[in-house]
Amino acid sequence: MIIAAFDPGLSGAVAVTGAQTTNSVYDLPTMGAGKQVILNGTALADILARVQVKHVVIEHVASMPKQGVASTFKFGTAFGQIIGVVQALGLSHEFVRPNVWKKALGLSSDKEAARRRAIELFPGLAVELARKKDHNRAEALLLARWWWEARG
C-alpha cells in the first residue's frame, strides 16, 4: 500500500511512502504569484493519482497565536483544498495532531531537529532535505514514518 502524508500549508509538503516503493517527497504545488498564490489542486490530484496513493494522513493543524488574519485564512484555505482533493479522489484519510506523532517519534517543535531526524531516517532523500527551508518536507516524511510505525 502507498500512503501520502501531508504537512499542510502553501509552503507545505507531501511525502509518498510504501512498503514496496521508493520514498519521495514533494513541495505542495502552487499557482499564482505574490499575494495571489494558492494551492494548485489539479497538480496535487495528479501527483496522488500518478503514484497510486491508497491512504492519506494529514497533520491536523490549527491557527497559531499571534498569526495574522490574512495568513491564517490562506493557511486554512490550503488545508481545506488538500482535504477537498483527497475526498474528490475518494481516498481514505485520517487526521493526526502534531503533538501525537511528534511525541511518538521523540520530536519537539524544533523544525531544524525534525529536518536532521528525517535525513537520518531517509538518507536517500538527503538532497531533498538539504536546505533549512526543507523542514516541511522533513515533517511530511516523519509523519509518514509515524503512520507506518503506528498503523502500517
Side-chain angles (χ1 to χ4, degrees):
M1 179 165 68
I2 299 172
I3 68 143
F6 282 91
D7 181 46
L10 287 176
S11 61
V14 57
V16 177
T17 66
Q20 304 296 321
T21 189
T22 303
N23 299 316
S24 55
V25 65
Y26 307 90
D27 292 329
L28 291 180
T30 59
M31 59 186 182
K35 292 184 178 187
Q36 303 302 316
V37 172
I38 61 171
L39 188 73
N40 185 333
T42 302
L44 179 58
D46 288 346
I47 291 169
L48 298 176
R50 183 179 69 244
V51 297
Q52 301 177 338
V53 168
K54 299 296 181 212
H55 184 73
V56 174
V57 58
I58 303 168
E59 186 177 53
H60 193 200
V61 293
S63 62
M64 296 178 16
K66 300 181 183 176
Q67 191 174 19
V69 174
S71 60
T72 298
F73 188 79
K74 279 184 146 183
F75 185 82
T77 299
F79 182 69
Q81 285 181 279
I82 292 167
I83 296 166
V85 167
V86 167
Q87 289 177 340
L89 291 173
L91 299 172
S92 67
H93 59 282
E94 64 186 284
F95 300 95
V96 180
R97 295 258 180 222
N99 61 322
V100 171
W101 71 265
K102 287 181 179 185
K103 181 178 179 182
L105 293 179
L107 296 168
S108 68
S109 61
D110 181 353
K111 301 213 179 270
E112 182 58 22
R115 192 179 69 82
R116 286 192 309 268
R117 181 75 171 130
I119 291 169
E120 290 172 7
L121 294 172
F122 299 94
L125 295 174
V127 171
E128 286 87 346
L129 302 170
R131 303 168 303 172
K132 195 171 190 93
K133 71 177 190 174
D134 292 332
H135 61 83
N136 294 320
R137 294 175 180 179
E139 290 205 353
L141 284 163
L142 292 169
L143 177 57
R145 174 67 173 239
W146 168 83
W147 189 89
W148 283 106
E149 289 179 3
R151 310 252 200 294

